[in-house]
Amino acid sequence: MMTLAETELLHDIHDIDPAEAEIALFLDFDGTLVEIAPVPDAVQLDRQVAPALGFLRDSLGGALALVSGRPVSFLDEILAPYRFDAAGLHGAQIRVGDEIRSQFAVPDAMREATRDLVRFANSHVGIIVEDKHISIAVHWRLAPTLKDEALDLIRTIAARMGPAVRLQEGKSVAELVPAGASKGGAIVQLMQSAPYAGRRPVFIGDDITDEAGFKAVNALGGLSIRIGDGETCAAHRIASPTALRTILLTAAEHGRLTASSFS
């Protein structure tokens, strides 16, 4: 069931011919703008991407935001000197311009959860714990045989922590995040104010973690795009991050990005 805010947004967007509507672009980071790396700190961003995104943001009247599981501070660092609107930590942080629009509190039991996961990582080679303060993730990409053990542990911790958190699973990763945070909720919130309001939302992601964003954009009459294969509710697909970068760089070169740029 849609919220009142989503219903109002849907009416606003459907008043515009989709072919003519100005878009609001929302982009995941890992697996979307960059290839997924073996460890979180090893991602490599094509040096042309940040300038292209800066140009596209200007051409979209500012309506471009990153919607990622990464902290906003990480996105700022890797895209520097460019700085974009961002929803980090799966929507637990939202910043527009220099204004923090929302930031979830750290769940009380997160410190104990972090300690348990770090203890597990210290005794299992290839397990990586990524402490994001508001959320915490465990990665097993370097130790795929430990997937079941890692999942059992973090699921047990999530059950112990109760309704304050939810377990977000992804590609070789699982993460404890504040229960009310989601990429879909972040996109809906951003769509309620300038420069996003009245535009047709386009969200591009690659993982289970992006499904809430796809669902929100579908409900708003927007365009949802999944990178790569896998079951999804996204309406369209792009083969790879490389293919997406080609689209974005071409659009920046031509000076215009529309929904049809992705078809």
Side-chain angles (χ1 to χ4, degrees):
M1 180 178 295
M2 287 192 294
T3 65
L4 177 60
E6 288 173 324
T7 301
E8 291 173 346
L9 284 171
L10 182 62
H11 288 161
D12 290 344
I13 294 166
H14 278 183
D15 286 340
I16 306 170
D17 182 343
E20 301 298 329
E22 293 286 345
I23 67 169
L25 182 61
F26 302 100
L27 294 163
D28 177 41
F29 184 74
D30 292 277
T32 300
L33 288 178
V34 297
E35 301 287 349
I36 294 177
V39 296
D41 292 340
V43 293
Q44 297 289 326
L45 180 69
D46 186 308
R47 62 183 178 82
Q48 300 178 86
V49 168
L53 292 180
F55 184 88
L56 291 173
R57 174 187 56 193
D58 294 344
S59 73
L60 293 171
L64 185 154
L66 304 175
V67 181
S68 171
R70 298 280 195 164
V72 170
S73 59
F74 172 87
L75 298 172
D76 286 347
E77 180 180 351
I78 200 164
L79 289 155
Y82 294 88
R83 182 179 168 101
F84 299 92
D85 292 349
L89 302 178
H90 306 283
Q93 300 173 314
I94 298 178
R95 186 195 66 208
V96 177
D98 293 322
E99 178 188 356
I100 301 297
R101 294 284 178 89
S102 67
Q103 180 159 299
F104 282 67
V106 181
D108 291 338
M110 191 64 80
R111 182 176 297 178
E112 182 180 358
T114 302
R115 185 169 61 247
D116 290 347
L117 290 171
V118 168
R119 185 182 298 118
F120 176 73
N122 288 342
S123 60
H124 293 79
V125 175
I127 295 293
I128 297 171
V129 173
E130 187 181 8
D131 184 358
K132 307 178 188 179
H133 188 56
I134 296 175
S135 68
I136 183 165
V138 59
H139 300 258
W140 56 85
R141 184 171 301 278
L142 298 179
T145 60
L146 295 173
K147 173 184 176 179
D148 290 343
E149 195 172 348
L151 275 173
D152 285 345
L153 174 60
I154 199 167
R155 285 169 178 168
T156 298
I157 293 171
R160 182 183 75 204
M161 293 179 72
V165 301
R166 66 179 177 85
L167 182 59
Q168 176 69 71
E169 298 182 21
K171 295 176 179 176
S172 299
V173 63
E175 185 167 353
L176 297 169
V177 301
S182 76
K183 291 186 178 183
I187 290 171
V188 169
Q189 182 173 334
L190 288 167
M191 286 294 297
Q192 291 173 11
S193 61
Y196 304 93
R199 291 172 173 263
R200 187 185 184 202
V202 175
F203 177 50
I204 307 175
D206 75 301
D207 201 353
I208 300 169
T209 60
D210 300 307
E211 290 299 313
F214 296 148
K215 290 176 183 177
V217 166
N218 289 344
L220 294 173
L223 180 64
S224 56
I225 304 171
R226 172 149 176 156
I227 302 291
D229 56 12
E231 185 176 349
T232 185
C233 68
H236 300 277
R237 292 184 191 267
I238 293 174
S240 66
T242 299
L244 174 61
R245 287 195 297 273
T246 298
I247 291 170
L248 296 175
L249 294 175
T250 299
E253 181 180 352
H254 291 167
R256 181 164 174 76
L257 182 70
T258 65
S260 62
S261 300
F262 301 103
S263 59

